[in-house]
C-alpha cells in the first residue's frame, strides 16, 4: 500500500467488513450499557426505569464479586501455565521422527474437536465420578480413598478439564513453530558445543517466543469467557464461580438483566486489564 | 594442528549409497577444496568429517586417533554453514561469543576474543546489531567470526559464498584465503564453483556421485586431468572434448583441448570452421566455432581486441603440447 491511490482504494474495499464488524460489536455493547443503567426484572415487573449507577454498585458490593474475579484469573493463569509448558514438551516430542507419527498427531489434536459441554460431562462422569469414575477405580486399586474431585478439589479439576481442551491448540501452534526452525541452526549450536539442554534454552525457546505469545493471547481471550465446562460440572458451586458465571446467574437465575449487564461491563474492563497486562509482558515478542 | 584421515568411509541414506567407501588424507594446515556437481555428496562428506552425520562404515581419524564415535563438539572443528545459521535472536556479539559461552570461558576472556575476532573481520561497529540487520557479506563474516573465536584445529566451510553476489564473492574469497594464510589452520572448503576451487585450494578433491575422481593441486588437475570428467570440470570455459576421426588420428577415443590452447587465424590452420556466438570479456574473447568435423561447437580463446563477425570462416590450430588424450573409458592416456 505504497501510494495514496492504493491506500484509498484499500480503505474502500475494507469498509464493508469494518462496518459489519463495528455493527456486530456495537449493537450488543450499546444494549449492555443501556440495560446496565436500568432496573429490568423480566418476571417481576419488567422495565422499572432508570436507576443510574445502582446496578454497578450492587454488583461490586456483592460478596461473590471479588471471589469470582479471583476464580477467573486462577483458571486463566493455571490453564495457560499448564498448556504452554505441556504444549512445549509435547511439541518437542511430536517433532521427533517416530513410528505412526500421523496417527499420533491426529490423536493429540482430537480433544480440540470435542465440544466443551461434552468434554465437561465426559470428565465429570467417566473420570471424576467419586464412585464409578476412572480415577476412583485407580485410587482404589492403589488402596487409597477416592477423591471427590469436583467438590473437594473443584478448582484443580476444572483447570485440568479446560487444560485438556486447550492443550491441542497450544501443541499444534508450538509444533509448527518448532518445525519452522532451521536445522542448520541446531547443528551450528551442536558444533559450538551446546548440549541438548543448552540447545533448547538458547536456540529452540527463543525461536518459540512468538508462538508462545500467540498461544497466550488467543487462549486468554477464550479462557476469560469459559462457561459450559463450569455449567455442566459444578454449576458454579465449590468456589468455581467465574465472572462470566456470576453474570449468567444474575441474569437468568435471579432474573435481573440490569445487574447482569453491569457485570458484563465489569467483565469487559477485566478483559482489558488482562489484555494490557499481557501485551506489556509478552507483546514485545510480536514486534520485529 | 590437525591432520584428518578418512579410511574406507561410506555413507548410505536408507538403501541409497550416497558415498561408496573412500579414502582421503588431509594434511595439517592444508586448504582442501571439495568440488563437484550438485548432489555429488560434497556436503555429506563434510558433515561426516564434522560428525553431524554418522558414517555407515569406515573410520574418521583426527591426528591419527579414531574420532568416528566422538560427538561434533569435541572434534575441535568449526563449521561455517551455507545459510550462515546465525542465531537470529542474539546480537552479533552474543553470536560470536556463543561457542565460548558454551565452553564456559569467563566473561573477560570472552570479551577479549570476540573483540579480537571482530577486529580481524571488520565487524567492530556491528557488534550490537542483530543478524537480521546485516548484509549478506557481513553475516558471512559473523559466521566466520563465530568459527574462529573457538580457535578450532580445522575449519569446515559448506559453500559459504553461494548466497553472495559476484563482486562480494571475489572479495570474500580473498578474505578467506588471507585468513588461511594468517592462521595456517587446516581448512576444508566445499563448493561447486571450480573458479573458487582453482583460486583458493592447495589441494582439490573432485567428486562425482560420491566417488573421488582425482586429488591434486589446482595446476596438477589443470595440466593432467585423470579422466574426461575432471578435464571437463576444471578450467573455465570448459575443455573441448572431441571424439571421432580427429581423436582416432591421435590414437585416442576422446581428445581434449582447452580453449586457451587453440590458435585462431583467418587464413590457414588444421581445422576449418564458422564463427558462432562470441563472448567479449574485454581482456579475452571466447568464440564458439562450428566445425563440420565435430558434433559440438568448439570454444576458443582469443585476444580481447580480435573481432570476428558472426558467420565468417576461420581456421583453428590446436597446440599439440597441450592436447589431452583419453581412452574409451574416459581415462587419461599418457
Ligand atoms: N538426509 C538425507 N536423506 C536422504 N538422502 C540424502 C540426505 N542428504 C543428502 N542426501 C542425498 O545425498 C546426495 C548428496 O547430497 P549432498 O547434500 O552431499 O550433495 P552436495 O554435493 O552437497 O550438493 P549441492 O552442491 O547441491 O549442495 C544427494 O543425492 C542427496 O539427495
Ligand atoms: Mg551441499
Amino acid at each position: 500500500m505504497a501510494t495514496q491511490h492504493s491506500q484509498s482504494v484499500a480503505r474502500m474495499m475494507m469498509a464493508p467488513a469494518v462496518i459489519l464488524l463495528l455493527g456486530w460489536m456495537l449493537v450488543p455493547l450499546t444494549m449492555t450499557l443501556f440495560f446496565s443503567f436500568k432496573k429490568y426484572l423480566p418476571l417481576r415487573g419488567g422495565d422499572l426505569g432508570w436507576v443510574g449507577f445502582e446496578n454497578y454498585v450492587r454488583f461490586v458490593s456483592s460478596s461473590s464479586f471479588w471471589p469470582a474475579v479471583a476464580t477467573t484469573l486462577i483458571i486463566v493463569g493455571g490453564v495457560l501455565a499448564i498448556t504452554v509448558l505441556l504444549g512445549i514438551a509435547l511439541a518437542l516430542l511430536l517433532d521427533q521422527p517416530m513410528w505412526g507419527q500421523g496417527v499420533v498427531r491426529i490423536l493429540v489434536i482430537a480433544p480440540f474437536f470435542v465440544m466443551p459441554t461434552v468434554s465437561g460431562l465426559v470428565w465429570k462422569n467417566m473420570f471424576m465420578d467419586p464412585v464409578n469414575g476412572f480415577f476412583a477405580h485407580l485410587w482404589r486399586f492403589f488402596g487409597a480413598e477416592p477423591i471427590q474431585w469436583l467438590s473437594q478439589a473443584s478448582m484443580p479439576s476444572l483447570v485440568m478439564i479446560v487444560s485438556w481442551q486447550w492443550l491441542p491448540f497450544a501443541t499444534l501452534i508450538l509444533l509448527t513453530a518448532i518445525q519452522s526452525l532451521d536445522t542448520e541452526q541446531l547443528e551450528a549450536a551442536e558444533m559450538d558445543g551446546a548440549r541438548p539442554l543448552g540447545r533448547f534454552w538458547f536456540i529452540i525457546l527463543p525461536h518459540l517466543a512468538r508462538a508462545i505469545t500467540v498461544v497466550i493471547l488467543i487462549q486468554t481471550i477464550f479462557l476469560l469467557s469459559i462457561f459450559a465446562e463450569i455449567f455442566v460440572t459444578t454449576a458454579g458451586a465449590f468456589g468455581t464461580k467465574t465472572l462470566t458465571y456470576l453474570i449468567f446467574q444474575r441474569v437468568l437465575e435471579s432474573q435481573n438483566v440490569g445487574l447482569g449487564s453491569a457485570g458484563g461491563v465489569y467483565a469487559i474492563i477485566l478483559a482489558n486489564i488482562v489484555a494490557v497486562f499481557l501485551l506489556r509482558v509478552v507483546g514485545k515478542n510480536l514486534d520485529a | 594442528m590437525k591432520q584428518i584421515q578418512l579410511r574406507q568411509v561410506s555413507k548410505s541414506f536408507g538403501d541409497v549409497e550416497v558415498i561408496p567407501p573412500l579414502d582421503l588424507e588431509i594434511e595439517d594446515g592444508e586448504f582442501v577444496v571439495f568440488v563437484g556437481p550438485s548432489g555429488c555428496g560434497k556436503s555429506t562428506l563434510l558433515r561426516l568429517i564434522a560428525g553431524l552425520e554418522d558414517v555407515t562404515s569406515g573410520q574418521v581419524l583426527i591426528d591419527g586417533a579414531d574420532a568416528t564415535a566422538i560427538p561434533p563438539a569435541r572434534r575441535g572443528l568449526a563449521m561455517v554453514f551455507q545459510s550462515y545459521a546465525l542465531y537470529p535472536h542474539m546480537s552479533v556479539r552474543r553470536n560470536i561469543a556463543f561457542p565460548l559461552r558454551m565452553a564456559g570461558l569467563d566473561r573477560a576472556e570472552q570479551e577479549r576474543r570476540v573483540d579480537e575476532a571482530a577486529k580481524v573481520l571488520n565487524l567492530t561497529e556491528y557488534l550490537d546489531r542483530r543478524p537480521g540487520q546485516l548484509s549478506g557479506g557481513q553475516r558471512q563474516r559473523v559466521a566466520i567470526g563465530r568459527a574462529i573465536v573457538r580457535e578450532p584445529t580445522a575449519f569446515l566451510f559448506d559453500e559459504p559464498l553461494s548466497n553472495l553476489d559476484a563482486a562480494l564473492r571475489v572479495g570474500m574469497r580473498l578474505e578467506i584465503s588471507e585468513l588461511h594464510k594468517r592462521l595456517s589452520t587446516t581448512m576444508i572448503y566445499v563448493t561447486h564453483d571450480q573458479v573458487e576451487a582453482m583460486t583458493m585450494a592447495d589441494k582439490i578433491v573432485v567428486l562425482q556421485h560420491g566417488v573421488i575422481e582425482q586429488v591434486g593441486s589446482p595446476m596438477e588437475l589443470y595440466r593432467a586431468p585423470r579422466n574426461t570428467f575432471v578435464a571437463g570440470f576444471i578450467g573455465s570455459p570448459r575443455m573441448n572434448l572431441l571424439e571421432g576421426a580427429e581423436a582416432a588420428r591421435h590414437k585416442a577415443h576422446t581428445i581434449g583441448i582447452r580453449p586457451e590452447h587453440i590458435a585462431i587465424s583467418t587464413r590457414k590452420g588444421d581445422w576449418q570452421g564458422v564463427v558462432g556466438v562470441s563472448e567479449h570479456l574485454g581482456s579475452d574473447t571466447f568464440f564458439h566455432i562450428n566445425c563440420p568435423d565435430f558434433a559440438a561447437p568448439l570454444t576458443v580463446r582469443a585476444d580481447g581486441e580480435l573481432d570476428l563477425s558472426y558467420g565468417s570462416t576461420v581456421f583453428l590450430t590446436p597446440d599439440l603440447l597441450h592436447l589431452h588424450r583419453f581412452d574409451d573409458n574416459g581415462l587419461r592416456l599418457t
Side-chain angles (χ1 to χ4, degrees):
Chain A
M1 283 195 252
T3 63
Q4 286 272 313
H5 179 67
S6 63
Q7 256 173 23
S8 61
V9 170
R11 255 183 231 137
M12 264 162 56
M13 306 282 255
M14 288 188 318
V18 173
I19 291 170
L20 189 72
L21 251 168
L22 271 181
W24 206 271
M25 274 169 50
L26 282 180
V27 172
L29 185 66
T30 335
M31 283 178 70
T32 308
L33 281 171
F34 177 79
F35 282 120
S36 70
F37 292 107
K38 278 195 166 239
K39 192 174 174 81
Y40 186 65
L41 310 167
L43 295 184
R44 287 171 285 154
D47 190 347
L48 300 175
W50 301 97
V51 290
F53 280 92
E54 196 193 302
N55 285 324
Y56 286 90
V57 177
R58 263 186 71 193
F59 196 88
V60 220
S61 52
S62 142
S63 63
S64 320
F65 177 72
W66 288 110
V69 172
T71 307
T72 309
L73 293 180
I74 290 171
I75 289 184
V76 171
V79 174
L80 280 182
I82 292 177
T83 50
V84 169
L85 291 181
L86 279 184
I88 292 173
L90 263 178
L92 285 173
L93 212 64
L94 289 178
D95 188 42
Q96 308 297 319
M98 61 178 162
W99 189 80
Q101 204 158 31
V103 177
V104 173
R105 283 187 188 167
I106 290 175
L107 284 179
V108 169
I109 300 163
F112 206 46
F113 298 120
V114 180
M115 284 167 277
T117 324
V118 175
S119 82
L121 285 172
V122 166
W123 275 90
K124 179 185 180 181
N125 295 320
M126 295 181 68
F127 287 96
M128 294 176 165
D129 189 276
V131 181
N132 265 323
F134 174 77
F135 290 147
H137 284 293
L138 198 69
W139 257 245
R140 270 197 292 269
F141 178 81
F142 288 107
E145 179 71 17
I147 298 175
Q148 311 229 335
W149 285 94
L150 287 165
S151 48
Q152 289 170 349
S154 52
M155 283 298 278
S157 310
L158 211 56
V159 168
M160 198 153 92
I161 295 173
V162 180
S163 298
W164 180 79
Q165 274 178 2
W166 282 94
L167 187 57
F169 172 76
T171 309
L172 208 63
I173 302 247
L174 294 171
L175 179 62
T176 52
I178 287 183
Q179 286 171 337
S180 74
L181 177 60
D182 181 10
T183 49
E184 283 199 349
Q185 259 181 51
L186 287 176
E187 286 174 347
E190 193 178 349
M191 298 275 318
D192 283 344
R195 291 165 189 288
L197 209 62
R199 279 187 300 234
F200 172 73
W201 188 255
F202 292 112
I203 312 294
I204 298 179
L205 208 55
H207 176 78
L208 289 182
R210 194 178 297 198
I212 293 175
T213 312
V214 169
V215 167
I216 290 180
L217 292 178
I218 293 184
Q219 285 199 16
T220 307
I221 295 168
F222 285 94
L223 292 177
L224 278 171
S225 60
I226 53 161
F227 176 79
E229 295 86 341
I230 304 173
F231 185 74
V232 300
T233 52
T234 61
F238 311 113
T240 57
K241 204 182 291 173
T242 60
L243 200 52
T244 321
Y245 205 86
L246 187 64
I247 295 166
F248 158 77
Q249 285 188 333
R250 291 290 182 264
V251 174
L252 279 156
E253 290 177 8
S254 330
Q255 288 289 322
N256 191 336
V257 175
L259 193 58
S261 298
V265 176
Y266 281 119
I268 295 169
I269 294 169
L270 178 72
N272 277 289
I273 292 173
V274 172
V276 167
F277 171 75
L278 281 179
L279 283 174
R280 275 278 161 81
V281 176
V282 294
K284 65 176 193 304
N285 290 330
L286 293 178
D287 310 339
Chain B
M1 299 301 109
K2 213 74 141 192
Q3 185 204 27
I4 298 168
Q5 266 178 306
L6 304 183
R7 276 209 203 131
Q8 290 296 305
V9 164
S10 75
K11 178 69 187 174
S12 307
F13 289 109
D15 295 337
V16 188
E17 189 171 60
V18 175
I19 296 182
L22 62 75
D23 290 292
L24 182 67
E25 289 207 10
I26 293 160
E27 300 301 330
D28 180 24
E30 249 181 349
F31 197 118
V32 178
V33 173
F34 294 170
V35 67
S38 188
C40 69
K42 308 178 294 285
S43 299
T44 307
L45 196 56
L46 196 72
R47 292 163 58 82
L48 288 175
I49 296 174
L52 291 173
E53 214 72 77
D54 291 324
V55 298
T56 304
S57 69
Q59 277 184 316
V60 178
L61 290 98
I62 297 180
D63 273 343
D66 187 359
T68 320
I70 295 180
R74 303 228 323 273
R75 294 191 184 190
L77 312 170
M79 184 149 165
V80 176
F81 292 83
Q82 180 171 358
S83 67
Y84 316 138
L86 299 177
Y87 312 127
H89 51 276
M90 297 184 197
S91 66
V92 168
R93 185 189 302 280
R94 298 228 302 149
N95 259 286
I96 298 179
F98 189 73
L100 305 175
R101 201 159 141 213
M102 290 299 107
L105 260 67
D106 64 68
R107 272 287 155 82
E109 177 69 8
Q110 285 186 24
E111 286 284 308
R112 195 186 64 71
R113 288 216 217 166
V114 170
D115 287 339
E116 199 176 311
K119 202 148 53 171
V120 170
L121 295 162
N122 284 325
L123 284 170
T124 312
E125 43 187 314
Y126 307 111
L127 277 179
D128 294 312
R129 292 210 199 162
R130 295 277 176 98
Q133 300 163 320
L134 299 178
S135 73
Q138 290 162 346
R139 282 180 216 185
Q140 182 59 65
R141 286 208 288 269
V142 176
I144 294 175
R146 194 173 61 187
I148 62 177
V149 281
R150 292 172 57 194
E151 298 175 356
T153 39
F155 288 98
L156 311 177
F157 292 93
D158 191 356
E159 307 208 21
L161 307 185
S162 57
N163 291 341
L164 304 180
D165 70 50
L168 204 53
R169 200 137 68 191
V170 175
M172 285 305 294
R173 209 161 76 196
L174 279 174
E175 281 184 38
I176 293 177
S177 294
E178 199 145 299
L179 197 69
H180 176 244
K181 292 280 182 297
R182 185 162 46 215
L183 304 174
S184 55
T185 311
T186 312
M187 289 192 180
I188 306 177
Y189 187 103
V190 164
T191 179
H192 59 255
D193 179 356
Q194 63 90 27
V195 177
E196 272 175 32
M198 289 295 283
T199 51
M200 302 171 84
D202 293 324
K203 185 156 98 182
I204 297 181
V205 177
V206 183
L207 289 162
Q208 187 192 16
H209 302 313
V211 177
I212 295 181
E213 296 288 349
Q214 190 169 4
V215 178
S217 74
M219 285 318 281
E220 273 169 33
L221 264 58
Y222 177 81
R223 288 200 194 105
R226 209 167 65 90
N227 55 33
T228 48
F229 176 77
V230 179
F233 200 80
I234 298 292
S236 168
R238 289 164 57 89
M239 182 189 281
N240 298 297
L241 292 169
L242 311 170
E243 292 178 4
E246 188 61 27
R249 216 164 60 77
H250 291 94
K251 298 191 187 62
H253 180 264
T254 310
I255 55 168
I257 183 83
R258 295 193 186 278
E260 52 270 43
H261 297 141
I262 302 178
I264 191 164
S265 156
T266 48
R267 284 183 305 263
K268 64 174 178 20
D270 292 3
W271 304 328
Q272 189 188 8
V274 177
V275 177
V277 177
S278 44
E279 296 171 313
H280 297 275
L281 303 185
S283 58
D284 303 300
T285 301
F286 294 104
F287 292 104
H288 296 265
I289 312 273
N290 297 300
C291 295
D293 297 350
F294 311 121
L298 292 182
T299 313
V300 177
R301 191 189 76 179
D303 190 85
E305 299 298 328
L306 183 64
D307 212 2
L308 294 172
S309 54
Y310 184 87
S312 59
T313 303
V314 289
F315 297 92
L316 306 174
T317 313
D319 178 352
L320 292 182
L321 275 179
H322 292 110
L323 190 83
H324 305 269
R325 295 158 59 242
F326 302 97
D327 68 14
D328 50 0
N329 290 322
L331 289 178
R332 181 181 189 80
L333 294 165
T334 43

